[in-house]
Amino acid sequence: MNPLLEVRGLTVTYGSSHGDIPAVRGVDLSVAGGEKVGIAGESGCGKSSLALALLRLLPRTATVDGEILFDGEDVLTMSFGRLRAVRWAGASVVFQGAMHALNPVRRVEEQIAEPILVHGGDRRSARIRAAELLDDVGLGAARGRAYPHELSGGQRQRVMIAMALACTPKLIVADEPTTALDVMIQAQILRLVGGLVADRGISLVMISHDLSVLAGTCDRLAVMYAGRVVEQGPAARVFADGRHPYSRALAAAFPRVGDPSARHNPQGLPGDPPDPSDLPPGCAFHPRCPVALPICPTVDPPLRRWHPAPGPAPAEAGAIDAACVHVRESHAAVGP
């Protein structure tokens, strides 16, 4: 069975007065129907560029190469008319800044109804559908008469989710949907998104810097660093037993509630991701890596398969792909 979304060799390069800046470097990713896939990494690792490329929402300064197959069609070669039909109805986006994404001078019910009207719905059915969606996301139809500034951050994010669901898409791309929200509201939004996509059989691509958030929401995780996917596999296993040192650092950066050792000895990762216009040689992570080897500045390892120790579950179910020489040298690594 073909995946709903398949990304092959995707590159995104931004033109600037200082030369070309590679933001995404050869990413391969697949999402099956009804699957929830998380993409993790620090700011500047290429997550949002990847998300925006999926529906050709990048600025004109960006050059995109590779393939983005949605339901078997390449998004990058679609006519604008076909792309317009796919947006909202086939795949939709929940942006991280709802206040910036919503029109401040239009009532939220009108904004939820707009994609329905664009895709051929009549005004009466669009109003009814908007009211149903407001109920589904826990706001209530009466709040549809409000303007964005009359709603809290969490309520505005619920409106964005309702808009994303308006045309019953097969895929939702959520780009940092809870970044600006407090912890309690963040948990509510994550439960809401997870429940809605599961009930409707919708695929989800969720972007976040918080590995723990993605591990609790998604089926699979892809960890990005310096524009590349450096690890991918089952969400719970990548979070608990990541093979790449960067994945382990991300997992350790978020303290666990009730764990005294996490409170008294918080973990972190010194430094910042490299400037995309000045990437270090070899593995881009090696200047920050706590277990770097002398060979790391000379090789940029590809993703390789690592299998967990034999157990009751099939080995393939827990397999992780990681781009690290430590995985290559492990007796558990397989492949070329």
Side-chain angles (χ1 to χ4, degrees), residues 100-311:
H100 303 295
L102 294 172
N103 188 327
V105 298
R106 296 185 66 197
R107 300 183 193 276
V108 295
E109 64 182 5
E110 298 171 357
Q111 300 188 59
I112 297 171
E114 183 175 12
I116 302 172
L117 295 172
V118 168
H119 285 274
D122 60 82
R123 292 192 177 278
R124 182 175 180 277
S125 63
R127 284 198 305 270
I128 293 172
R129 176 70 172 152
E132 291 173 347
L133 288 167
L134 285 168
D135 283 334
D136 288 345
V137 299
L139 273 182
R143 299 299 284 162
R145 300 294 295 167
Y147 291 96
H149 71 272
E150 297 176 308
L151 301 176
S152 69
Q155 290 173 328
R156 289 193 292 267
Q157 206 63 43
R158 289 170 186 264
V159 171
M160 287 294 301
I161 295 167
M163 290 177 66
L165 293 168
C167 295
T168 318
K170 295 180 180 180
L171 171 70
I172 290 179
V173 180
D175 185 11
E176 300 269 14
T178 61
T179 295
L181 306 178
D182 62 64
V183 174
M184 296 297 290
I185 301 301
Q186 180 184 85
Q188 293 174 16
I189 296 297
L190 290 172
R191 282 196 300 270
L192 175 66
V193 172
L196 288 171
V197 298
D199 291 346
R200 291 162 168 78
I202 298 172
S203 298
L204 174 69
V205 174
M206 181 175 284
I207 315 292
S208 179
H209 62 279
D210 190 334
L211 206 63
S212 62
V213 161
L214 296 176
T217 306
C218 299
D219 305 311
R220 286 193 302 117
L221 282 182
V223 179
M224 289 189 69
Y225 189 80
R228 285 192 61 201
V229 172
V230 296
E231 182 158 2
Q232 60 182 344
R237 183 168 288 278
V238 171
F239 180 63
D241 189 27
R243 296 292 92 193
H244 197 285
Y246 182 60
S247 301
R248 295 184 177 185
L250 283 181
F254 297 93
R256 294 170 293 280
V257 176
D259 183 351
S261 64
R263 184 173 68 251
H264 297 302
N265 186 30
Q267 302 296 309
L269 189 63
D272 298 299
D275 184 337
S277 63
D278 187 24
L279 294 173
C283 172
F285 184 61
H286 84 263
R288 304 172 71 193
C289 183
V291 292
L293 298 174
I295 195 176
C296 293
T298 65
V299 296
D300 193 7
L303 286 169
R304 293 176 62 87
R305 178 63 49 90
W306 178 88
H307 291 283

Side-chain angles (χ1 to χ4, degrees), residues 3 12 38 40 58 70 84 120 153-154 161 167 190 278 280-281 299 311 324 329 332:
V12 176
L58 290 165
F70 179 74
R84 190 168 182 262
I161 295 167
C167 295
L190 290 172
D278 187 24
V299 296
C324 181
E329 293 175 351

